[in-house]
Amino acid sequence: MSSTQPVESEWDGAKYGREESTGVIFGMEADQVIFIAVGVVLGVLVVMINGFPWGLAAAIGLLIVFGGIGIPRIKGNSLIGWARIFFRSKSRQRSGNDQFVQKDDGVEIGFTDDGEVEIVEGPEFEIMDGSVRRGDDTPRDGKNRIRPGKPVRMSLPGEFGELLVYQLPGGGAFIYDPVLKVATMVAEVMTEKAFQLNSFEEKEDRLREWVSVQSTIARIPGVDIVQLSDQTTMISGASIRHWYEEQILKAPAVTTADGETVRQAGPDVDPFMHQSLVETIMSVENQPVHDMWMAVVLSKEKLNERIVAAGGGVAGFMETALSMMGTIENAIPTSGAYVTKWHSPHTLAARTRTAFDPDSAIQVSERGEDGVAVRQAGPMYAAPRDIKTYESDGALHRTYKIAEWPHSQARLGFLDKLVFAGDFRHTVSLYIKPRDTAKALKANERDRATWSSNDKIRDKIGKQQTARKERQIQDLVQEEDEVTAGHAPLKLICVITVTAETDRELNANCADLETRAAEANLDLRVLYGQAEEGFIAGALPFGKLEV
């Protein structure tokens, strides 16, 4: 009788930390501590005013009320935090800012390099019934500096309506946020081979290289956040045929004895099989596909010196972004993925448009690189439908956040349970936020000191330590060891947006996702009261994480 020996791996023992609850004292955040402190002060005043015993009884009742409100945490948030979220939501509803209706007044609002408001007569990138009318490239002046031209403002809900779109040399989109002073570039990403088809050793190699890529991107000065997304969507048979024809053109060509040049693919190999395949492709209306993108957000403040050296203003920012895009593009292939292109204003607008209106995905996919006009990227109508659902152009969206990563050791590629959760439209977005090493170590030291102080207080009042608290302390120790060993300090946040046409379909799709998450030992949490922010973070390629 033979037995299977476990394969030793360098990833053995690697675990994700629990949800943070260090807080200021006893796991309570600053707002909780302040709220309870107010209750204590009021209790003391009641005793001083009313005396004993009625003042004391009233003070005890007051402390019970304040403690009952200030201490509990529900789904990772305090009651005070939930109250703040819902108050903001209700305030937006009363003012009407929660609803977005597309306006078509023919006037675009932009900003100069100095932050002054300017009126742009119309969009620079205009789409007609046929192909897109655009110049060959973004021009440069006599000193070889970029001439950005007038931007196009994206008509999107809320604060995202301030995003301005420029075109970089080479055709890539440069999305500038004049309020936050950040810029976003979005790359289309492909993988050379499915991760699950690799052997265990190959998976380890790819994971090792991916860790290296993460560290490289995180250490690039100026990178504020990176969004990696996989979106399951539907495309038309025409798009698949277009891809198939492109592969035929890329196939090697040979010269026959008759001097004729033929390609080793398509009709030159087997015309009957080729025709049958084309007919089969065109007979299928919808095909589920996985679109992957990477959004890189750069901070203008952190890159100020380089931007000034490149000429300053938006032009200098664009020049700096171009060089950083090349660095990122060269770093990724070692992990088994590669950048196929940087999205142009039109293709980025197309991706945005189909996120708000999934029914337009087939029509938009047939346009290929022509995409959608920038000013048409937003929805015709969008608003939170209820506390956990966002509605846009007839589609319903619900967004989850991974609250707890696997408590035990996670298997390699465990997120595929969410990526391949089912044949319904959903987007899995992983956010990587680089942290300064010195600040990360300082924060770790502060959290460990807080735990130490809390333990002393617990000992004095006779409160027992729990296994959960001990695990969180171990997480802090492990974090310090990893950062000290040279690993890049990164904060990982994953959000998943599920889309459907009806409430029944949405609930069914969400149930499928939650089942797959349980299989992967993940704890998902619905973003209650943050339906719009969750949709923007989960389904749109702008690297906007406001949850």
Side-chain angles (χ1 to χ4, degrees), residues 430-489:
L430 178 66
Y431 282 84
I432 304 173
K433 188 168 182 60
R435 302 166 62 197
D436 180 77
T437 301
K439 291 181 179 179
L441 289 173
K442 189 174 181 179
N444 181 278
E445 183 180 351
R446 182 174 60 251
D447 290 342
R448 293 179 65 180
T450 300
W451 275 116
S452 178
S453 301
N454 290 345
D455 287 343
K456 293 179 181 179
I457 298 175
R458 289 175 185 275
D459 292 339
K460 289 182 179 181
I461 64 178
K463 190 172 183 179
Q464 293 183 347
Q465 183 67 277
T466 64
R468 178 180 175 85
K469 304 300 181 186
E470 291 178 354
R471 174 61 191 275
Q472 290 179 335
I473 295 174
Q474 294 173 5
D475 292 340
L476 291 173
V477 174
Q478 180 178 344
E479 179 188 28
E480 183 185 31
D481 292 341
E482 291 174 350
V483 174
T484 303
H487 294 285

Side-chain angles (χ1 to χ4, degrees), residues 12 24 132 274 326-327 338 340 499:
D12 288 344
V24 177
V132 176
H274 164 76
T327 301
Y338 58 95
T340 59
T499 299

Side-chain angles (χ1 to χ4, degrees), residues 232-295:
T232 303
T233 187
M234 311 300 289
I235 66 170
S236 68
S239 294
I240 301 177
R241 178 179 178 179
H242 178 69
W243 178 85
Y244 172 60
E245 291 173 346
E246 285 185 339
Q247 301 309 306
I248 293 176
L249 295 177
K250 294 178 181 178
V254 296
T255 303
T256 64
D258 299 333
E260 183 182 0
T261 301
V262 296
R263 294 196 176 275
Q264 299 299 297
D268 291 343
V269 174
D270 191 326
F272 297 103
M273 184 175 292
H274 164 76
Q275 186 61 33
S276 297
L277 179 59
V278 170
E279 290 177 356
T280 301
I281 290 174
M282 296 305 297
S283 66
V284 181
E285 276 298 316
N286 296 333
Q287 286 284 348
V289 296
H290 289 268
D291 293 327
M292 293 175 286
W293 72 77
M294 174 181 64

Side-chain angles (χ1 to χ4, degrees), residues 126-134 346 367 369-371:
E126 188 174 349
I127 191 166
M128 308 300 290
D129 291 335
S131 61
V132 176
R133 300 186 308 180
R134 56 173 174 256
H346 292 95
R367 297 193 60 83
E369 292 301 309
D370 288 348

Side-chain angles (χ1 to χ4, degrees), residues 152-342:
V152 181
R153 175 176 149 178
M154 275 195 167
S155 184
L156 299 176
E159 63 186 34
F160 303 101
E162 302 297 336
L163 298 181
L164 304 177
V165 181
Y166 296 84
Q167 182 168 296
L168 290 164
F174 181 86
I175 308 113
Y176 180 59
D177 188 331
V179 177
L180 299 179
K181 306 296 183 184
V182 296
T184 305
M185 293 78 63
V186 183
E188 183 179 278
V189 181
M190 293 286 288
T191 57
E192 295 176 348
K193 186 178 181 182
F195 188 79
Q196 292 303 322
L197 297 180
N198 292 139
S199 65
F200 185 81
E201 291 76 12
E202 290 174 330
K203 290 181 180 179
E204 284 192 309
D205 291 340
R206 289 183 64 174
L207 181 58
R208 192 181 302 110
E209 293 295 339
W210 178 241
V211 170
S212 177
V213 169
Q214 285 184 325
S215 299
T216 300
I217 296 176
R219 287 189 169 93
I220 297 177
V223 174
D224 192 57
I225 199 167
V226 178
Q227 174 192 1
L228 299 165
S229 298
D230 184 292
Q231 184 176 79
T232 303
T233 187
M234 311 300 289
I235 66 170
S236 68
S239 294
I240 301 177
R241 178 179 178 179
H242 178 69
W243 178 85
Y244 172 60
E245 291 173 346
E246 285 185 339
Q247 301 309 306
I248 293 176
L249 295 177
K250 294 178 181 178
V254 296
T255 303
T256 64
D258 299 333
E260 183 182 0
T261 301
V262 296
R263 294 196 176 275
Q264 299 299 297
D268 291 343
V269 174
D270 191 326
F272 297 103
M273 184 175 292
H274 164 76
Q275 186 61 33
S276 297
L277 179 59
V278 170
E279 290 177 356
T280 301
I281 290 174
M282 296 305 297
S283 66
V284 181
E285 276 298 316
N286 296 333
Q287 286 284 348
V289 296
H290 289 268
D291 293 327
M292 293 175 286
W293 72 77
M294 174 181 64
V296 182
V297 182
L298 304 180
S299 170
K300 187 176 182 181
E301 180 181 354
K302 296 177 182 178
L303 292 169
N304 186 59
E305 291 185 7
R306 291 184 61 178
I307 292 173
V308 172
V314 174
F317 201 177
M318 294 171 68
E319 195 72 66
T320 303
L322 273 177
S323 63
M324 298 181 71
M325 287 162 61
T327 301
I328 294 171
E329 188 173 338
N330 293 331
I332 291 180
T334 57
S335 65
Y338 58 95
V339 173
T340 59
K341 67 178 181 181
W342 291 91

Side-chain angles (χ1 to χ4, degrees), residues 1 4 11 84 86 95 97 106 115 146 239 254 267 354 372 451 465 493:
M1 182 176 68
T4 302
W11 307 105
R84 186 165 51 244
F86 290 122
S95 63
N97 291 330
I146 296 176
S239 294
V254 296
T354 55
V372 173
W451 275 116
Q465 183 67 277
I493 299 174

